[in-house]
């Protein structure tokens, strides 16, 4: 193009304003100004990002940075930044292998034969070891033929979280992440980060004494200035549990996805297993991960909430599923102890409040001799550990 134009007669100078130098200076200065503006904007953005990140991770700020609200701890878990570090690297969904879905063996289920495979989902165990073992006995759990999924809140509150974890790992149980696993993992990773930080600090100054356990307690004790006595106590209980986790136990918990999915249970359709709930009509990857672990209700805009005031998400789910002629999806969940065992057509609520003297419940899918997959509920009575 430029070569071609060079053969053409020179064009007359373009009509430009009277003072070309002034104009180009003006445009230069405006360009410089916008460069400065851009630089400033980028700077502000960078600083605020670093600040937000440091608040989020809470690495260097002791005491003030990790702000845990009162009842958010257990139920009203509304702060979005809380728990983010605990959820770094979480898995959204894991599929149950086709071969483990009842009625979907290699040859399918023949009439009169049945199927020894069962899909078993157990609600909020909360460290109630004896009851968990009692329930496994009652359903004659067999790790060779049963696919067991623990629907979150396996640990915390109850007497023996670590024993429940070890038993779950030993028998090959699967899991989804509950709000309590999420919190304990948040603490666990925070403790690990502090340990690494102290380790690095002691490498720089070899003469300084190694940080003791008490140091960590003291650091953590500053939280009492930020939260009430009750919250501080439950914070310490959770911190202790997080501290007592072995690497293997923490890794097992970390690997629990938010959703376990069974595609095409014969005659029943798709199953999702989550801890708290899902919003109907929104694909999994667009659901709020925090809400999957904490929701109980929906407001009129279908925004999920951990509170009990609005419409139970399960009610809305069933209402929408009933409109479909085929391709149904059933959700099995826990978390909503106030509702207790809540079995509806397309949702199965399993938190029957074991830790407060209710029952520990299992939802079981099994192909019967007629080749149909049927559901069953089996539960055991629990001691009243809390209250
Ligand atoms: Mn829960």
């Amino acid at each position: 193009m430029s070569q071609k134009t060079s053969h053409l007669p020179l064009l007359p100078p373009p009509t430009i304003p009277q003072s070309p130098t002034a104009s180009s200076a003006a445009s230069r200065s405006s360009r410089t100004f916008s460069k400065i503006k851009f630089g400033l904007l980028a700077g502000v953005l960078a600083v605020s990002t670093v600040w937000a990140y440091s608040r989020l991770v809470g690495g260097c700020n002791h005491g003030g940075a990790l702000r845990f609200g009162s009842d958010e701890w257990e139920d009203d878990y509304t702060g979005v930044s809380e728990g983010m570090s605990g959820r770094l690297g979480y898995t959204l969904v894991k599929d149950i292998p086709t071969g483990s879905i009842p009625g979907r063996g290699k040859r399918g289920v023949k009439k009169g034969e049945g199927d020894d495979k069962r899909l078993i989902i157990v609600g909020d165990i909360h460290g109630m070891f004896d009851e968990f073992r009692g329930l496994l006995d009652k359903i004659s759990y067999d790790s060779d033929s049963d696919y067991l999924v623990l629907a979150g809140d396996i640990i915390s509150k109850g007497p023996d979280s670590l024993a429940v974890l070890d038993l779950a790992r030993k028998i090959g149980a699967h899991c989804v992440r509950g709000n309590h696993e999420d919190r304990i993992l948040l603490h666990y990773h925070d403790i690990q980060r502090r340990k690494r930080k102290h380790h690095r600090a002691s490498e720089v100054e070899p003469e300084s004494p190694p940080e003791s356990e008490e140091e960590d307690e003291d650091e953590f004790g500053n939280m009492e200035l930020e939260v009430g006595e009750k919250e501080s106590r439950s914070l310490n209980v959770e911190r202790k549990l997080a501290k007592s986790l072995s690497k293997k136990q923490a890794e097992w918990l970390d690997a629990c996805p938010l959703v376990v999915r069974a595609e095409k249970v014969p005659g029943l359709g798709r199953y999702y297993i989550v801890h708290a709930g899902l919003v109907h009509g929104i694909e999994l990857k667009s659901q709020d991960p925090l809400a999957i672990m904490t929701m109980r209700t929906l407001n009129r805009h279908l925004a999920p909430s951990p509170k009990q005031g609005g419409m139970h998400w399960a009610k809305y789910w069933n209402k929408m599923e009933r409109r479909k002629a085929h391709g149904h999806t059933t959700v099995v969940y826990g978390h909503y102890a106030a509702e207790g065992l809540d079995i509806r057509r397309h949702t199965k609520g399993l938190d029957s409040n074991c830790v407060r003297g209710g029952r520990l419940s299992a939802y079981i899918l099994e192909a019967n001799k007629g080749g149909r997959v049927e559901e069953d509920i089996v539960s055991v009575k629990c001691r009243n550990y809390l209250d």
Side-chain angles (χ1 to χ4, degrees):
M1 185 73 180
S2 60
Q3 269 182 334
K4 204 176 176 185
T5 49
S6 69
H7 295 293
L8 293 170
L10 281 171
L11 288 168
T15 45
I16 16 171
Q18 301 82 336
S19 166
T21 44
S23 151
S24 77
S27 90
R28 243 201 328 273
S29 88
S30 107
R31 248 181 286 136
T32 313
F33 181 62
S34 61
K35 263 185 200 163
I36 291 171
K37 259 201 312 195
F38 178 76
L40 266 172
L41 195 71
V44 166
L45 239 142
V47 168
S48 57
T49 306
V50 167
W51 177 80
Y53 182 75
S54 74
R55 278 190 66 88
L56 209 69
V57 176
C60 330
N61 301 312
H62 300 151
L66 290 165
R67 185 177 283 271
F68 297 103
S70 51
D71 286 338
E72 289 164 20
W73 197 279
E74 181 184 323
D75 295 324
D76 297 330
Y77 188 78
T78 50
V80 170
S81 66
E82 285 176 46
M84 282 310 277
S85 67
R87 281 193 298 284
L88 285 179
Y90 69 85
T91 305
L92 178 62
V93 56
K94 270 188 194 164
D95 281 297
I96 298 176
T98 306
S100 297
I101 295 173
R104 290 200 63 185
K106 273 185 188 154
R107 297 173 302 277
V109 180
K110 287 178 192 152
K111 282 216 169 202
E113 262 188 17
D115 189 340
D116 64 345
K117 279 181 295 184
R118 293 185 299 179
L119 172 57
I120 302 166
I121 301 140
V122 174
D124 310 44
I125 300 169
H126 275 304
M128 301 290 275
F129 179 74
D130 294 346
E131 286 78 358
F132 180 38
R133 215 174 40 181
L135 182 60
L136 293 175
D137 280 349
K138 192 168 176 180
I139 62 177
S140 311
Y141 173 75
D142 177 354
S143 58
D144 289 336
S145 50
D146 295 331
Y147 196 95
L148 173 63
V149 183
L150 309 179
D153 284 5
I154 301 155
I155 54 169
S156 284
K157 290 190 179 178
D160 225 336
S161 292
L162 298 185
V164 169
L165 267 185
D166 287 338
L167 180 58
R169 289 168 56 222
K170 189 176 143 203
I171 64 176
H174 303 265
C175 51
V176 295
R177 184 185 286 227
N179 52 315
H180 282 273
E181 282 80 26
D182 197 55
R183 295 202 69 86
I184 296 300
L185 286 169
L186 164 69
H187 285 299
Y188 177 82
H189 291 299
D190 182 57
I191 291 165
Q192 299 307 310
R193 195 174 50 245
R194 280 165 197 258
K195 273 188 190 160
R196 284 195 299 272
K197 206 178 103 189
H198 290 182
H199 183 71
R200 278 200 302 274
S202 63
E203 272 180 350
V204 176
E205 301 168 65
E207 72 274 16
S208 72
E211 301 292 345
S212 64
E213 291 286 292
E214 285 72 34
E215 184 79 23
D216 190 51
E217 296 284 1
D218 283 341
E219 223 171 59
F220 187 57
N222 293 341
M223 296 272 193
E224 283 175 39
L225 299 171
E226 296 294 323
V227 297
E229 195 190 325
K230 185 180 156 221
E231 291 74 34
S232 166
R233 216 181 309 129
S234 68
L235 199 67
N236 280 315
V237 168
E238 293 199 319
R239 195 73 169 185
K240 248 185 206 134
L241 175 55
K243 220 179 221 178
S244 67
L245 286 181
S246 70
K247 192 163 179 256
K248 286 244 163 75
Q249 288 165 334
E251 278 170 0
W252 188 84
L253 286 174
D254 255 330
C256 296
L258 297 186
V259 186
V260 167
R261 175 171 56 195
E263 290 288 0
K264 286 188 191 155
V265 176
L268 296 173
R270 178 198 288 147
Y271 268 73
Y272 286 151
I273 302 157
V274 297
H275 177 59
L278 292 167
V279 182
H280 194 278
I282 296 178
E283 56 183 332
L284 284 186
K285 66 178 194 308
S286 303
Q287 301 262 345
D288 176 351
L290 187 58
I292 294 176
M293 295 183 285
T294 59
M295 71 192 289
R296 292 191 177 85
T297 55
L298 302 173
N299 72 10
R300 72 184 74 225
H301 308 292
L302 298 182
S305 162
K307 298 204 164 70
Q308 296 188 27
M311 182 195 266
H312 188 351
W313 71 267
K315 189 178 173 189
Y316 179 71
W317 187 279
N318 281 280
K319 188 180 162 198
M320 300 308 283
E321 282 295 314
R322 276 197 298 271
R323 292 180 179 177
K324 293 192 199 164
H326 51 82
H328 287 107
T329 300
T330 297
V331 184
V332 186
Y333 65 100
H335 189 61
Y336 210 157
E339 289 283 326
L341 193 66
D342 187 5
I343 305 300
R344 307 180 192 213
R345 181 91 186 263
H346 302 290
T347 57
K348 319 288 172 183
L350 298 182
D351 189 351
S352 40
N353 217 354
C354 178
V355 75
R356 287 182 196 274
R359 300 184 76 84
L360 184 64
S361 303
Y363 175 83
I364 303 172
L365 287 176
E366 184 176 15
N368 68 14
K369 294 235 185 294
R372 265 171 49 102
V373 178
E374 290 185 334
E375 60 176 16
D376 192 14
I377 301 279
V378 178
S379 67
V380 292
K381 181 91 191 79
C382 302
R383 292 162 289 166
N384 191 349
Y385 183 74
L386 298 177
D387 292 347

